[in-house]
């Protein structure tokens, strides 16, 4: 089969883990290709996610690299066998691919942790608030694209709620005051956020303005926990689209950032009190 022109996030991640496996074994691509009895270009294509991988090929790859991390290999096998198209594929070509990759990342994770400074977390946004968040962009989005992005965000919200995937969101107080869509839209959004905070699978904690030391990251972050720790991923929100991080050293750094954020955040009950206070004062 010809190489894939645009591998998905899942396919690229499988390839990245193969590359890490090979490098940990101290093998060059040519030496591994000889051990597997395949062309060198096939190793490169597997590591870039551009060609499919069978369960047998993965096991051969792991054996050649003397990888004894059986939980990781089993997790990769599960990723390989997951070939069904996600609901987000309906939007391909309609909205930027980065949005699709966000949905794919969320779907494949076992738990999510977020740190947001600029707006209410996406999984908690009402439709009016989400539309206002996208409507602030410069240059202004055409109406059809604004509606498509808003509908996509609502579908992501629905999907996460159907799965009841554990979600912890740390929200900087500024996001509670920023009036996307105007005062009434924000008041409705804060009431919805309070309802979310009562969900057993969702944790909402606010980092207040008066925290003594700002906890760390100055961009919106999502930490997606994989089925095994090696498959954790961090998504950094940027104006140019999401940036995905999975290097072990960087994951350690971001776990530290979330640890400091957790230490700075109000408890769940005090967070609800502050959200109530802001909603009343608007």
């Amino acid at each position: 089969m010809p190489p894939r022109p645009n591998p998905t996030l899942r396919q690229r991640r499988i390839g990245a883990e193969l590359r890490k496996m090979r490098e940990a074994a101290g093998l060059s691509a040519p030496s591994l290709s000889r051990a597997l009895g395949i062309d060198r270009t096939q190793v490169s294509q597997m590591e870039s996610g551009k060609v499919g991988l069978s369960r047998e090929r993965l096991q051969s790859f792991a054996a050649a690299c003397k990888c004894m991390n059986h939980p990781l290999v089993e997790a990769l096998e599960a990723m390989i066998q997951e070939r069904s198209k996600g609901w987000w594929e309906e939007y391909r070509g309609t909205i930027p691919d980065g949005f699709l990759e966000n949905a794919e990342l969320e779907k494949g994770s076992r738990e999510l942790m977020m740190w947001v400074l600029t707006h209410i977390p996406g999984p908690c946004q009402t439709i009016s608030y989400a539309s206002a968040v996208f409507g602030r962009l410069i240059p202004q989005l055409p109406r059809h694209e604004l509606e498509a992005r808003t509908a996509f965000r609502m579908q992501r919200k629905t999907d996460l709620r159907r799965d009841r995937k554990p979600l912890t969101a740390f929200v900087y107080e500024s996001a509670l005051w920023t009036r996307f869509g105007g005062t009434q839209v924000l008041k409705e959004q804060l009431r919805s956020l309070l309802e979310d905070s009562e969900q057993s699978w969702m944790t909402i904690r606010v980092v207040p303005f008066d925290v003594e030391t700002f906890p760390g990251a100055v961009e919106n972050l999502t930490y997606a926990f994989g089925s095994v720790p090696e498959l954790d991923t961090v998504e950094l929100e940027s104006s140019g689209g999401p940036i995905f991080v999975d290097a072990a050293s960087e994951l350690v750094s971001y776990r530290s950032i979330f640890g400091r954020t957790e230490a700075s955040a109000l408890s769940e009950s005090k967070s609800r009190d502050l959200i109530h206070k802001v909603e009343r004062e608007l």
Side-chain angles (χ1 to χ4, degrees):
M1 293 180 64
R4 303 178 180 119
N6 298 299
T8 66
L9 179 67
R10 178 184 63 85
Q11 291 162 347
R12 297 200 308 272
R13 185 56 187 274
I14 292 169
E17 292 305 315
L18 294 180
R19 186 189 68 252
K20 292 176 188 176
M21 198 181 292
R22 175 178 60 78
E23 290 175 347
L27 294 172
S28 65
S31 60
L32 180 59
S33 68
R34 288 192 295 271
L36 294 175
I38 60 176
D39 188 84
R40 175 182 176 179
T41 58
Q42 285 183 272
V43 172
S44 175
Q45 289 171 345
M46 285 191 289
E47 292 182 353
S48 62
K50 290 186 176 181
V51 295
L53 200 66
S54 67
R55 181 172 177 270
E56 293 72 26
R57 178 68 79 189
L58 170 64
Q59 292 175 341
S60 297
F61 197 107
C65 295
K66 295 182 173 56
C67 176
M68 303 303 292
N69 189 338
H70 300 301
L72 172 61
V73 175
E74 290 173 2
L76 291 173
E77 287 178 3
M79 291 175 70
I80 288 170
Q81 292 166 351
E82 178 51 62
R83 299 181 185 277
S84 59
K85 288 189 175 182
W87 61 264
W88 49 87
E89 290 297 333
E90 301 171 17
Y91 289 84
R92 192 169 295 281
T94 304
I95 61 176
D97 286 353
F99 285 77
L100 313 186
E101 294 185 334
N102 276 333
E104 186 178 21
L105 177 66
E106 290 169 354
K107 190 68 172 180
S109 66
R110 61 176 175 82
E111 181 179 349
L112 296 167
M113 187 178 291
M114 296 181 171
W115 163 235
V116 291
L117 294 85
T118 56
H119 50 65
I120 302 301
C124 301
Q125 292 179 6
T126 65
I127 189 169
S128 297
Y129 184 92
S131 180
V133 169
F134 289 125
R136 85 195 193 284
L137 298 177
I138 299 174
Q140 191 170 20
L141 294 173
R143 183 178 180 82
H144 71 278
E145 189 170 347
L146 173 63
E147 292 175 348
R149 291 193 186 196
T150 303
F152 186 80
R153 176 151 287 178
M154 292 302 101
Q155 182 61 44
R156 281 173 61 191
K157 176 178 177 178
T158 298
D159 194 54
L160 285 170
R161 286 162 191 268
R162 182 171 52 246
D163 293 346
R164 296 176 68 84
K165 186 158 295 183
L167 169 66
T168 300
F170 297 104
V171 184
Y172 192 46
E173 186 179 345
S174 60
L176 305 180
W177 291 98
T178 304
R179 305 186 192 203
F180 290 111
T183 301
Q184 287 308 120
V185 168
L186 180 57
K187 285 174 73 71
E188 176 189 90
Q189 173 63 78
L190 293 180
R191 288 193 288 268
S192 178
L193 185 64
L194 285 167
E195 292 175 5
D196 284 343
S197 72
E198 300 288 352
Q199 298 293 323
S200 61
W201 52 277
M202 191 178 292
T203 300
I204 308 293
R205 295 180 60 188
V206 178
V207 176
F209 284 139
D210 61 2
V211 64
E212 289 187 3
T213 302
F214 195 75
V218 292
E219 66 269 282
N220 298 332
L221 303 174
T222 297
Y223 195 107
F225 293 86
S227 55
V228 293
E230 292 85 352
L231 294 178
D232 289 357
T233 305
V234 171
E235 182 253 316
L236 290 71
E237 187 176 304
S238 76
S239 58
I243 299 169
F244 299 99
V245 173
D246 57 44
S249 59
E250 292 181 287
L251 291 174
V252 169
S253 176
Y254 282 108
R255 283 197 293 270
S256 176
I257 287 172
F258 273 103
R260 292 199 301 271
T261 303
E262 183 175 18
S264 302
L266 298 174
S267 66
E268 290 183 72
S269 61
K270 288 184 178 179
S271 294
R272 278 191 285 271
D273 290 343
L274 180 53
I275 296 168
H276 268 299
K277 178 177 180 290
V278 174
E279 193 270 335
R280 288 195 304 269
E281 292 183 6
L282 284 170

